[in-house]
Amino acid sequence: MTSGLASKRRPIGHDQVRERLRSMKDRFPPSLIFAGPPGIGKKLVALEIARELTGDTRSLDLTQSVAQTDNIYFIQPDGASIKIEQAREAMHFLSLGREGRRLIFIFDEAQALGPQAANALLKSIEEPPPGVHFIFLVPSSSMLLSTIRSRSQVVRFAPLEDHVVAQIVAEVDPSLKLEPWLLEMSMGSPGAALELARGQGDGEGEIEVIQESLSKWLQAFDSREPESDRLRALGNLKESLKERDHHQLAFRMLGRKLGEAWRTHAAGQAPARGAIPKWLSGLEFERLEKLTDLALESEADLARNVDRQLLWEQMSSRIVALLKVP
């Protein structure tokens, strides 16, 4: 969503998450995991809370693998991973000692932390000096090393609603025209919406075919549907996904459905008719959380060039196991 110098504007959306973080300000956790799909604003919210905690409002150059002010230290992968040298530099920054000041470390795409880099951080995460806090940004908390995950509190970010995505895109680049089908394709991610609007994207007809196939596949997990219907729906879904971009789009659509389920939980009310299958709207919190993690892990596997068709077969089997469908 941002490039070059990080914007000082306040993020739009995620009001409940931001209010929850502000309520923690006096006793802010030493380590937090911000989990949610890419491009939905986790980074901006992390920067916002870091600035509120420290009073340090200077810009950070987010095009660099490391950027810092006196109080905020931002790290993202240098190439394919966050390297041990970057972790050691962060610990050197910590060791300089700033009496009475808060220090916030933000790790973007923290799933790229290798074991060596994570181990270099571990002692400081386990026993951080007063006023030192770590924020790890990931698609899913399950993608982080267990040594970090077990010592951190998870804050989950859901996909944004369409009108919020449109508002953010208009603010970032007023020259872009966000067609309804592009907005639908962005699946609650302003970052994806910007990328799609600036490129060519797929045609609206292809979007509708993929969306219909995905919806029928999800509906087939209803406990009343026989296994043959689930297998047929899975086959139709895979047949509709001809290109790698189609698979990515389908996972974004799945993320949108899950986001609607999360909003249903948060609001305590039924979703819009036809928005999501009945079994998904009634899924209890623990299984919805697990299903969301499964979807995000599969999307990450897609980025690592795992067999695309196999991904959907595995996802289908894991949903069946999760729901204990006979």
Side-chain angles (χ1 to χ4, degrees):
M1 281 179 58
T2 48
S3 60
L5 295 181
S7 170
K8 292 184 181 180
R9 69 171 176 83
R10 297 178 71 83
I12 301 171
H14 303 302
D15 294 341
Q16 290 182 332
V17 168
R18 291 159 63 204
E19 186 58 35
R20 176 186 170 191
L21 292 170
R22 290 194 189 97
S23 71
M24 299 177 178
K25 281 176 66 174
D26 292 336
R27 300 183 65 182
F28 203 73
S31 181
L32 284 172
I33 297 170
F34 284 10
I40 62 171
K42 301 188 299 292
K43 190 186 307 181
L44 286 181
V45 174
L47 288 168
E48 178 188 48
I49 193 64
R51 287 164 175 158
E52 290 185 7
L53 287 171
T54 64
D56 188 338
T57 60
R58 283 179 292 176
S59 294
L60 290 160
D61 186 353
L62 302 186
T63 64
Q64 303 300 314
S65 58
V66 172
Q68 67 183 80
T69 64
D70 285 345
N71 304 86
I72 302 171
Y73 201 94
F74 174 84
I75 302 174
Q76 61 185 337
D78 181 8
S81 64
I82 296 176
K83 297 178 171 54
I84 187 171
E85 291 80 11
Q86 291 175 273
R88 286 172 175 164
E89 288 174 12
M91 293 304 93
H92 177 67
F93 179 81
L94 175 60
S95 71
L96 294 178
R98 290 162 172 78
E99 197 67 33
R101 295 186 187 179
R102 266 179 157 164
L103 298 181
I104 312 293
F105 293 84
I106 300 172
F107 288 78
D108 192 20
E109 298 183 51
Q111 69 274 14
L113 269 167
Q116 286 186 316
N119 287 335
L121 304 171
L122 196 55
K123 181 175 175 55
S124 296
I125 296 172
E126 288 177 330
E127 301 175 5
V132 173
H133 309 277
F134 296 86
I135 301 177
F136 299 94
L137 314 182
V138 290
S140 167
S141 59
S142 62
M143 297 170 69
L144 268 177
L145 293 171
S146 59
T147 49
I148 293 177
R149 192 169 65 244
S150 63
R151 293 164 174 81
S152 306
Q153 183 172 331
V154 178
V155 177
R156 188 176 294 281
F157 286 68
L160 294 168
E161 296 179 347
D162 285 352
H163 73 275
V164 178
V165 174
Q167 181 181 353
I168 293 172
V169 170
E171 182 175 313
V172 173
D173 192 341
S175 68
L176 290 177
K177 184 178 181 182
L178 199 58
E179 299 287 351
W181 68 272
L182 282 178
L183 186 61
E184 182 74 14
M185 188 176 174
S186 71
M187 301 302 143
S189 168
L194 284 164
E195 179 182 346
L196 291 165
R198 287 167 175 161
Q200 296 300 312
D202 289 307
E204 184 174 3
E206 289 180 318
I207 301 294
E208 292 178 350
V209 170
I210 294 171
Q211 188 171 43
E212 183 178 359
S213 297
L214 183 80
S215 294
K216 289 182 176 179
W217 173 67
L218 287 172
Q219 289 166 3
F221 289 101
D222 190 293
S223 60
R224 296 168 297 182
E225 300 296 330
E227 182 183 5
S228 59
D229 283 1
R230 293 198 299 271
L231 293 174
R232 188 180 304 110
L234 174 61
N236 290 338
L237 173 62
K238 292 195 297 181
E239 188 176 339
S240 72
L241 306 177
K242 297 178 176 63
E243 306 291 341
R244 184 183 183 282
D245 289 348
H246 294 168
H247 290 266
Q248 186 177 45
L249 171 59
F251 275 115
R252 287 176 180 168
M253 289 178 175
L254 178 57
R256 183 185 183 89
K257 299 288 188 183
L258 295 172
E260 183 65 35
W262 279 107
R263 281 191 283 271
T264 298
H265 266 283
Q269 61 189 31
R273 185 174 180 179
I276 55 177
K278 187 176 180 179
W279 68 265
L280 183 54
S281 65
L283 203 61
E284 60 268 27
F285 178 87
E286 291 77 10
R287 290 205 286 180
L288 178 57
E289 186 173 41
K290 180 62 175 176
L291 179 56
T292 302
D293 284 345
L294 291 176
L296 290 168
E297 288 172 30
S298 295
E299 187 173 4
D301 285 340
L302 176 64
R304 291 194 287 267
N305 293 320
V306 174
D307 184 280
R308 302 166 195 165
Q309 302 293 339
L310 183 59
L311 274 179
W312 291 103
E313 294 175 16
Q314 291 176 337
M315 188 71 194
S316 192
S317 297
R318 293 166 90 180
I319 293 176
V320 169
L322 180 67
L323 299 180
K324 296 184 171 65
V325 178

